Amino acid sequence: MIKSGVTFLLLTFSVILWAQSTETTNTETLNLNKPERVEWFRDLGFGLFIHFSFDSQLGVVISHSMVGASEDYLNRYINELPKTFDPKDFDAKEIATLAKLAGMKYIVFTTKHHSGFCMWDTETTDFNITNTPYKKDLLDEYVEATREAGLAVGFYFSPEDFHFLHENGLEIRRTNINDIPPHLMKKYVELNELQTIELMAKYGDIDILFYDGGEGPLLEKCKQVAWELHPDVVITRGAMETPEQTVPGTTLSDPWEACLTMGTQWAYKPANEVYKTGTRLIEILVETRAKGGNQLLNIGPKPNGEVPEEQVNLLREIAAWNFVNGEAIEATKPWIIPNEENIWYTWKPKEKTLYAILTKQAEWPRGERREFVLKSVNATENTEVEVLGQSGKRVEYMSETNATTLFEQEENGLHISCVHAQRLYNNHKWNYPLVLKITNAQPAFTPPVVVTEEAEIIQSGGTNYIQFNGKIIEQGDQENLKVCFQYRPHFNPTKQPIPVEWKETKTMLINDEAFSIKLPVKNEKITYQYRLVLKHPKSTINGKIKSISLSAN
């Protein structure tokens, strides 16, 4: 770690970078991610997010309690709360080992959240972890342990800094930097620049950066500095789509990374937390990979640094599934369609190996045979099919049971018959997706490409309507396609564990490139999610999910 002369070094870096750069405006968005590094990142597939800071002691939302807080609250939060922060039981090696078992290939740690509290030994502010009873540089421990485990190192960093705003007499808020005086704005940008230089200079080559928040020069300067110092770093948020708590409605060709909490809160929540099941987390991971994205699953350590038992248990639940089925997640690409109902696909095109992941198969008794028809898949003369993790030769204690996976290509699809054979739990139950590995597979059809367009609110004959609009970009190999739109009240994943079921409009036959369907709606204030649904004879193809808000008159 750099200690002596660090301020001079950082300022020198800063002068060089300012001299090399042109002024970044609020409207510019810099993206210097190298294509080969982006592909490397996409192959990683699954990562661990860690939200941890000194306010984990309270079990409140990380950082955001500062917005709208009283002066008394802020004074105690900034000046008193760090005095009792001592994550002495933070075990970076144990966390990295558990992440690796769960199939994760990278970890992203919160170096500085919106509060401005730095989890490393920084010379830019006293508001950092070395001025707590812990005293040490926790980030250094995280980096060393993550690298030792063979995982990629990622940093989360917030250019928004509530401590800086408060320190300079400015209102604490997430956005709207336009009313910050120019001399303070310059100081604000320089603070983030110096902190970025520290992070990129003190810990070796950083693989991934996740920037959360910041407008105009606050964010753009951080990105510019990071890429100048380490051109191979992959910036996710700030340079690619990173949906929170949700997965896009369709496969995206561009890189994306979804981030997800196990419960309802990012940082530690000691009371009233509601966790997703391990099965649900696995299903979300499967859907993410089938649609071409990365999944960043979050944990929030306790104030002493320990990972809550519930979160450890969920990671070990995922680890058991990954130990059997990890090859269906790592270094895969999307198939021609993401799914056929509850069967999701990932694909390794170079090997011509397809993975059919059988979700929603709860209560599949060991030794029971089930049959599936894969309409989007054609076998070849060299095709073989197996269930990952199983030899197909034996079911324990069931010597008369034939565990062989059988398959036959028929006109309506690839028919597969398989047995749940492997014993993984003592009670003989395994309520998680089984995975079929299909070698030398071929697509059974060329799917059309459809787009959900922006909907409109229109009036006709005294009635309000939502007019849903769609477009076919590529016809595929099928004519006279049928479409409808699905809609539902807007889903808030932090408040609703399970989304409301989709409703459908009428179905229509289309021949034109663009089309519309009108839905009468009540005069009420509500936000709807909607998507285009194309009903191909061999698959249902969903368009991207969009939203539209109605306002009551």
Side-chain angles (χ1 to χ4, degrees):
M1 294 177 59
I2 301 171
K3 295 300 289 185
S4 63
V6 69
T7 303
F8 175 77
L9 174 63
L10 295 178
L11 289 174
T12 302
F13 266 128
S14 179
V15 170
I16 293 171
L17 291 171
W18 272 106
Q20 289 177 340
S21 69
T22 56
E23 193 67 24
T24 303
T25 67
N26 287 5
T27 58
E28 293 175 337
T29 301
L30 187 66
N31 188 350
L32 299 180
N33 280 332
K34 293 181 177 179
E36 64 273 18
R37 289 292 291 169
V38 170
E39 287 308 306
W40 163 85
F41 169 74
R42 297 180 82 172
D43 281 346
L44 298 180
F46 192 23
L48 181 70
F49 214 176
I50 304 177
H51 272 71
F52 191 36
S53 194
F54 75 110
D55 51 3
S56 297
Q57 296 176 90
L58 302 176
V60 298
V61 59
I62 189 169
S63 300
H64 294 278
S65 68
M66 296 179 73
V67 180
S70 67
E71 192 61 31
D72 172 65
Y73 181 96
L74 292 173
N75 281 332
R76 287 185 291 116
Y77 182 96
I78 292 169
N79 299 313
E80 298 300 323
L81 199 55
K83 294 178 181 179
T84 52
F85 184 47
D86 187 11
K88 56 185 175 53
D89 296 319
F90 181 82
D91 191 330
K93 289 186 177 181
E94 184 176 321
I95 291 172
T97 299
L98 185 52
K100 191 170 185 176
L101 273 173
M104 294 158 167
K105 304 300 179 185
Y106 63 104
I107 305 179
V108 177
F109 185 89
T110 44
T111 63
K112 182 187 82 168
H113 207 269
H114 305 314
S115 68
F117 185 83
C118 296
M119 296 291 282
W120 76 95
D121 183 11
T122 178
E123 293 196 11
T124 63
T125 176
D126 291 333
F127 196 47
N128 74 75
I129 196 167
T130 61
N131 294 313
T132 70
Y134 187 70
K135 298 186 183 300
K136 298 178 291 181
D137 186 329
L138 189 141
L139 194 60
D140 190 46
E141 297 175 44
Y142 152 72
V143 171
E144 182 179 351
T146 302
R147 286 206 180 106
E148 188 177 300
L151 303 178
V153 174
F155 286 169
Y156 165 109
F157 181 85
S158 170
E160 294 172 345
D161 191 312
F162 295 164
H163 179 257
F164 173 87
L165 296 177
H166 183 259
E167 199 175 41
N168 287 277
L170 299 169
E171 180 191 359
I172 295 174
R173 73 284 192 156
R174 283 297 313 275
T175 56
N176 189 10
I177 62 174
N178 295 328
D179 61 348
I180 297 178
H183 72 286
L184 289 180
M185 190 62 203
K186 184 175 184 292
K187 185 179 175 183
Y188 201 0
V189 172
E190 287 176 347
L191 171 68
N192 279 293
E193 181 184 10
L194 287 173
Q195 289 179 343
T196 301
I197 292 171
E198 275 190 335
L199 291 172
M200 301 304 288
K202 294 176 72 171
Y203 302 100
D205 289 346
I206 303 307
D207 300 296
I208 299 160
L209 289 174
F210 185 111
Y211 286 113
D212 188 14
E215 297 179 67
L218 282 179
L219 172 60
E220 297 304 316
K221 178 53 66 175
C222 290
K223 289 158 55 179
Q224 180 189 3
V225 169
W227 274 314
E228 288 277 2
L229 290 176
H230 183 29
D232 284 340
V233 71
V234 175
I235 294 180
T236 57
R237 178 165 293 180
M240 66 177 68
E241 190 169 342
T242 56
E244 286 189 17
Q245 307 284 33
T246 189
V247 176
T250 188
T251 302
L252 303 182
S253 57
D254 291 332
W256 60 277
E257 177 187 51
C259 46
L260 179 75
T261 56
M262 291 181 171
T264 62
Q265 188 159 288
W266 295 98
Y268 175 58
K269 187 178 182 182
N272 306 312
E273 183 61 297
V274 179
Y275 286 101
K276 302 171 184 68
T277 66
T279 300
R280 182 64 189 135
L281 292 174
I282 291 168
E283 289 173 350
I284 296 171
L285 171 63
V286 167
E287 181 179 353
T288 300
R289 294 303 287 151
K291 292 178 176 178
N294 285 37
Q295 182 64 253
L296 190 57
L297 181 62
N298 183 74
I299 60 171
K302 295 161 67 175
N304 65 359
E306 290 181 332
V307 181
E309 185 178 1
E310 299 90 343
Q311 297 178 22
V312 170
N313 291 343
L314 286 168
L315 284 175
R316 293 204 182 279
E317 205 172 339
I318 296 168
W321 185 85
N322 170 75
F323 200 80
V324 178
N325 302 296
E327 70 173 88
I329 296 300
E330 182 186 358
T332 57
K333 308 296 182 186
W335 179 237
I336 59 169
I337 54 173
N339 65 301
E340 296 179 37
E341 299 297 334
N342 294 321
I343 302 174
W344 293 85
Y345 294 107
T346 58
W347 167 241
K348 293 184 177 176
K350 289 183 180 179
E351 297 88 346
K352 290 186 170 55
T353 299
L354 180 68
Y355 301 92
I357 304 169
L358 311 174
T359 66
K360 310 294 185 185
Q361 295 292 325
E363 301 303 325
W364 187 343
R366 201 167 60 88
E368 179 179 284
R369 181 174 291 277
R370 293 186 180 179
E371 296 187 1
F372 303 89
V373 180
L374 311 184
K375 295 180 180 180
S376 66
V377 186
N378 275 346
T380 66
E381 60 181 12
N382 297 318
T383 292
E384 295 180 358
V385 182
E386 63 178 292
V387 178
L388 285 184
Q390 299 183 179
S391 68
K393 296 178 180 179
R394 181 179 296 275
V395 181
E396 189 181 26
Y397 304 133
M398 300 180 186
S399 58
E400 301 301 316
T401 300
N402 179 5
T404 306
T405 299
L406 309 172
F407 66 96
E408 185 175 357
Q409 183 69 54
E410 297 186 15
E411 188 175 345
N412 69 333
L414 180 60
H415 289 240
I416 298 176
S417 173
C418 60
V419 174
H420 172 204
Q422 192 172 17
R423 181 185 176 193
L424 292 159
Y425 284 165
N426 273 355
N427 63 1
H428 302 269
K429 293 184 178 180
W430 182 252
N431 298 330
Y432 307 97
L434 267 66
V435 179
L436 298 171
K437 180 178 180 179
I438 308 164
T439 58
N440 295 296
Q442 290 183 346
F445 67 99
T446 302
V449 179
V450 295
V451 174
T452 309
E453 302 269 71
E454 296 297 328
E456 307 168 77
I457 307 297
I458 61 173
Q459 285 190 331
S460 178
T463 302
N464 289 331
Y465 293 88
I466 299 177
Q467 179 172 295
F468 297 116
N469 301 308
K471 183 182 290 186
I472 297 180
I473 303 299
E474 295 179 15
Q475 183 74 30
D477 57 10
Q478 184 74 27
E479 296 182 354
N480 299 322
L481 296 167
K482 294 180 179 180
V483 298
C484 69
F485 288 86
Q486 291 182 338
Y487 61 98
R488 68 184 180 192
H490 193 277
F491 169 53
N492 185 336
T494 61
K495 297 179 180 179
Q496 303 163 259
I498 301 174
V500 176
E501 291 293 323
W502 292 100
K503 294 183 179 180
E504 286 191 359
T505 65
K506 65 180 182 180
T507 299
M508 62 181 290
L509 192 67
I510 57 168
N511 296 304
D512 296 330
E513 182 180 294
F515 48 88
S516 301
I517 296 177
K518 290 195 296 186
L519 174 75
V521 291
K522 296 178 181 178
N523 185 19
E524 58 184 347
K525 187 175 182 180
I526 188 171
T527 299
Y528 282 108
Q529 290 180 316
Y530 62 93
R531 65 184 180 188
L532 170 62
V533 178
L534 186 143
K535 298 186 176 182
H536 190 280
K538 292 189 175 182
S539 179
T540 297
I541 298 171
N542 297 321
K544 190 174 183 179
I545 297 174
K546 292 180 175 287
S547 297
I548 187 168
S549 296
L550 308 179
S551 57
N553 293 330

